[in-house]
Amino acid sequence: MMVRVEKDGEITIVVIDRREAKNAVDRITAEALADAFRAFDADESARVAVLAGDHGTFCAGADLKAFSRGTPNRIAPDGDGPMGPSRMLLRKPVVAAIAGHAVAGGLELALWCDLRVVEEDTVMGVFCRRWGVPLIDGGTVRLPRIVGLGRALDLILTGRAVDAQEALAMGLANRVVAKGRAREEAVALAKQIASFPQTCMREDRLSAYEQDGMSIDAALANELQHGMRSLADPEMIAAVMRFVGGAGRGGKLE
């Protein structure tokens, strides 16, 4: 299978497995990725997903060999993106576990994820600049929003390689871990996120995404709407009561 799905309790792990293509994504793989994340979003038992690539590489981008054979990825203004899930805004977070290269469309898949855990020898970049292949899976949108316009233009215009430490410094990476540990650390991070009251976490996450482009008044009003859903959630009320009870017995914040 080009994409396989594994389960670790409340964590869904989606793995790209195309060793011969350095996990480059062709049309079939893109469809499988989109289907996997639709299934994750609909699965009430799954709280957080991890996206990884097998064989020491995250993703080398779109499969240009398939393009040259006349079987390009799907390119249409509606529906799934060329790389699969890149147009989706899921209800639940996704953590990227990045080893080796995350370049071109692979970088766009990494940007689509909420958080990025990268190994110390990871290479990221808009390598498709070298071949005249455009960013059409959110790269020109998400990269400036994550690292700022100046840094994004540096990467978009030059197509240069970015190592793990520079990615961390610019906010492109959220964690840098030892070689071979990206998936393990990403799953650990996903489990931490999964341990929190879910309604509140998801509503805060959506508010953070939706505020971009809104006026301050509209963004604050939208934040309150999301917050009201959290305040009405029984899980939040129970958690507050546990905290109050613990504080009354000498509990402390950590």
Side-chain angles (χ1 to χ4, degrees), residues 3-86:
V3 173
R4 68 177 189 270
V5 177
E6 303 171 6
K7 297 283 190 176
D8 185 348
E10 297 170 322
I11 310 306
T12 296
I13 305 163
V14 179
V15 184
I16 307 171
D17 186 357
R18 299 191 72 216
R19 180 195 290 269
E20 74 288 350
K22 297 187 182 299
N23 293 333
V25 172
D26 62 3
R27 190 181 188 113
I28 296 174
T29 306
E31 292 171 352
L33 282 171
D35 289 343
F37 281 107
R38 267 191 287 271
F40 157 69
D41 210 36
D43 182 356
E44 293 303 325
S45 70
R47 292 192 165 194
V48 185
V50 170
L51 174 60
D54 211 346
H55 316 297
T57 297
F58 181 71
C59 176
D63 189 339
L64 298 184
K65 291 183 178 178
F67 178 85
S68 70
R69 293 193 297 267
T71 54
N73 292 24
R74 179 183 185 276
I75 301 173
D78 58 348
D80 295 334
M83 295 289 289
S86 56

Side-chain angles (χ1 to χ4, degrees), residues 30-226:
E31 292 171 352
L33 282 171
D35 289 343
F37 281 107
R38 267 191 287 271
F40 157 69
D41 210 36
D43 182 356
E44 293 303 325
S45 70
R47 292 192 165 194
V48 185
V50 170
L51 174 60
D54 211 346
H55 316 297
T57 297
F58 181 71
C59 176
D63 189 339
L64 298 184
K65 291 183 178 178
F67 178 85
S68 70
R69 293 193 297 267
T71 54
N73 292 24
R74 179 183 185 276
I75 301 173
D78 58 348
D80 295 334
M83 295 289 289
S86 56
R87 295 175 183 166
M88 297 178 182
L89 178 57
L90 304 182
R91 296 181 302 119
K92 298 178 279 190
V94 181
V95 179
I98 303 176
H101 283 73
V103 296
L107 175 64
E108 292 182 289
L109 282 181
L111 293 169
W112 172 74
C113 297
D114 297 272
L115 298 173
R116 285 154 294 282
V117 176
V118 309
E119 295 185 1
E120 58 193 356
D121 62 345
T122 288
V123 176
M124 308 176 83
V126 186
F127 282 19
C128 50
R129 178 62 53 240
R130 307 170 185 188
W131 323 118
V133 177
L135 295 169
I136 52 176
D137 281 275
T140 66
V141 177
R142 294 190 179 99
L143 187 58
R145 292 181 180 183
I146 291 170
V147 305
L149 181 59
R151 286 182 169 133
L153 286 174
D154 180 13
L155 303 190
I156 290 169
L157 297 180
T158 68
R160 69 180 180 85
V162 176
D163 65 23
Q165 289 303 321
E166 184 181 4
L168 181 66
M170 69 170 63
L172 180 55
N174 300 99
R175 309 280 193 280
V176 174
V177 300
K179 184 176 180 179
R181 290 186 57 86
R183 174 168 163 171
E184 179 180 351
E185 296 291 345
V187 169
L189 179 57
K191 288 182 177 180
Q192 177 188 353
I193 296 168
S195 72
F196 297 134
Q198 290 296 288
T199 297
C200 183
M201 181 274 293
R202 293 175 189 176
E203 296 294 338
D204 284 354
R205 171 182 172 271
L206 284 175
S207 179
Y209 275 121
E210 291 169 355
Q211 62 78 31
D212 192 80
M214 289 184 177
S215 69
I216 184 65
D217 289 341
L220 290 171
N222 188 58
E223 179 187 66
L224 181 60
Q225 288 182 346
H226 284 290

